[in-house]
Amino acid sequence: MRSRDLEGIALELVSAGKGILAADETVPTLTRRFDTLRIESTEQSRRVYREMLFAFPDSAEFISGVILHDETIRQKSSRGVPFPEFLANRGILPGIKVDRGAKPLAGSPGEVVTEGLDGLRDRLSEYRAMGARFAKWRAVIHVGDTLPSPACLSANGNALARYAALCQEQGLVPIVEPEVLMDGPHTIERCEEVTSVVLHSVFYALFQQGVALEAMLLKPNMVIAGKKCTRQVSVDEVATATLRCLRRHVPAAVPGIVFLSGGQAATLATAHLNAINQLGSKPWSISFSYGRALQDPALEAWAGRDENLKVAGLALHRRASCNSAACVGKYTDEMESADDPPHRSDWSDD
Ligand code: 13P
């Protein structure tokens, strides 16, 4: 595939007012989330849940792409349509998580490295044939007084860059996700320091591996105080620090930055995105690729019951439409209490 085609897909993923739904939780992770609400986790219940996430009213107005898990890309809608085709029919690009999770990094206690490079070329080729147009690989960085170590930075940067180069070779747009975790008592200043060094080493590795920056997206954390930090800061401070850090370390050739939510409350993640987009001009589109911050209210509303599927879809519609507005800096508190959209006849079409 020509790099031009990949550039077009990358741009489509960050077209104005649209973002990405991350629905690629592994079976154990989704099972843990189901467990907290006493929802039974089976292949069928996960399929029903994911179909609700993909088919909510007007989904393609707000969502440009969905990141799937290996289990889901092989499943079908209730009417028997394979999910990649189901999404494409709605005007949504199917994507796929291709890493195999973060494992302890040898010699670096308390740190992890993401695995999954072995056999990746063949897996990417299979996913592309199944309809995937973009992929995701998540690196996980713990913050401590002396973490991350140089070993962690280079191992994760190198893996992300090798993954991204393979994706482009196989005709998929790579989403490069280095996540600096919110866990811990660190300050926002420490988060900015660590995010800076992480982004710097990731882009150095991408350069070394010859990755075309125009044909990828960056999925970073926001610059934010650790969950246990005693000094939590304002929305404006988060926006200013985040944009300063990105401006210093993300080349202008990258078409889009799509944030992860990382455990922020759903409405706060929207407010942060909105505030970032209200600040000055930027060389990239700035949007969302949220998992929990889009899904949590819908998962709670569904609670595993068929009779709740519609109200769950409306909860997701709320989060998707508010985040869509935040992509263009037009989100307001009132949008959180606006009327639900009228019932649509295309509710669960294929
Ligand atoms: P969260 O928005 O829940 O952090 O998930 C995004 C994601 O894809 C993590 O890899």
Side-chain angles (χ1 to χ4, degrees):
M1 164 166 279
R2 289 174 314 135
S3 133
R4 271 286 164 71
D5 299 328
L6 292 184
E7 288 172 27
I9 289 169
L11 286 169
E12 196 178 326
L13 285 167
V14 289
S15 49
K18 291 194 190 187
I20 296 170
L21 166 65
D24 59 326
E25 298 82 5
T26 60
V27 171
T29 297
L30 192 57
T31 299
R32 266 199 309 281
R33 294 198 187 146
F34 277 17
D35 282 349
T36 59
L37 296 167
R38 295 177 203 273
I39 301 167
E40 198 190 354
S41 180
T42 62
E43 191 184 336
Q44 170 63 0
S45 67
R46 293 188 294 273
R47 194 200 65 72
V48 168
Y49 173 63
R50 259 100 184 221
E51 182 165 349
M52 178 275 293
L53 295 179
F54 308 156
F56 73 91
D58 308 323
S59 50
E61 223 179 273
F62 314 117
I63 302 294
S64 54
V66 173
I67 312 174
L68 303 169
H69 180 260
D70 180 77
E71 178 182 73
T72 323
I73 201 170
R74 300 174 194 282
Q75 288 177 322
K76 295 180 174 164
S77 74
S78 50
R79 293 193 196 167
V81 181
F83 275 135
E85 192 181 328
F86 181 88
L87 289 166
N89 289 346
R90 298 184 75 89
I92 296 175
L93 291 164
I96 181 75
K97 169 192 176 75
V98 299
D99 68 68
R100 293 210 150 138
K103 308 283 158 55
L105 177 61
S108 293
E111 296 193 291
V112 291
V113 61
T114 302
E115 296 189 348
L117 288 170
D118 287 353
L120 182 58
R121 175 178 277 122
D122 292 342
R123 287 194 293 124
L124 293 174
S125 160
E126 185 194 7
Y127 287 138
R128 187 157 198 301
M130 292 171 87
R133 291 294 172 264
F134 68 101
K136 170 191 125 171
W137 178 291
R138 173 176 176 253
V140 180
I141 312 292
H142 291 269
V143 180
D145 291 341
T146 57
L147 302 186
S149 66
C152 171
L153 292 170
S154 71
N156 278 293
N158 185 260
L160 274 167
R162 288 186 58 202
Y163 139 82
L166 279 165
C167 281
Q168 292 182 342
E169 179 197 88
Q170 293 301 314
L172 293 156
V173 170
I175 295 188
V176 172
E177 180 180 3
E179 175 173 2
V180 175
L181 293 177
M182 278 174 72
D183 301 344
H186 55 271
T187 60
I188 185 171
E189 289 81 9
R190 179 71 184 136
C191 179
E192 185 169 352
E193 223 167 65
V194 171
T195 304
S196 291
V197 76
V198 166
L199 291 176
H200 183 77
S201 51
V202 166
F203 279 100
Y204 180 60
L206 292 168
F207 173 75
Q208 282 183 312
Q209 298 299 325
V211 173
L213 300 183
E214 292 81 358
M216 62 160 275
L217 296 177
L218 178 72
K219 176 164 173 168
N221 51 284
M222 292 178 187
V223 172
I224 209 163
K227 275 185 210 154
K228 293 197 179 137
C229 180
T230 48
R231 193 173 63 84
Q232 293 296 321
V233 304
S234 69
V235 168
D236 287 345
E237 274 178 87
V238 168
T240 303
T242 301
L243 192 56
R244 178 173 56 222
C245 186
L246 294 173
R247 278 199 177 117
R248 286 176 178 168
H249 299 287
V250 183
V254 174
I257 294 175
V258 290
F259 288 109
L260 57 92
S261 62
Q264 299 177 55
T267 51
L268 192 56
T270 311
H272 285 149
L273 178 62
N274 189 58
I276 292 166
N277 274 311
Q278 284 181 340
L279 286 176
S281 66
K282 318 143 185 93
W284 346 265
S285 296
I286 297 199
S287 177
F288 58 90
S289 174
Y290 292 161
R292 286 162 287 180
L294 282 169
Q295 292 184 47
D296 280 356
L299 177 58
E300 264 178 54
W302 173 53
R305 293 166 189 270
D306 283 352
E307 62 269 30
N308 294 340
L309 282 169
K310 282 183 186 162
V311 66
L314 291 176
L316 180 55
H317 181 280
R318 167 88 61 206
R319 295 273 36 88
S321 58
C322 287
N323 282 300
S324 163
C327 286
V328 290
K330 293 204 171 355
Y331 166 69
T332 59
D333 287 345
E334 292 71 50
M335 288 179 189
E336 297 292 352
S337 49
D339 287 342
D340 284 331
H343 174 70
R344 299 262 311 195
S345 54
D346 66 352
W347 172 254
S348 65
D349 64 359
D350 293 329

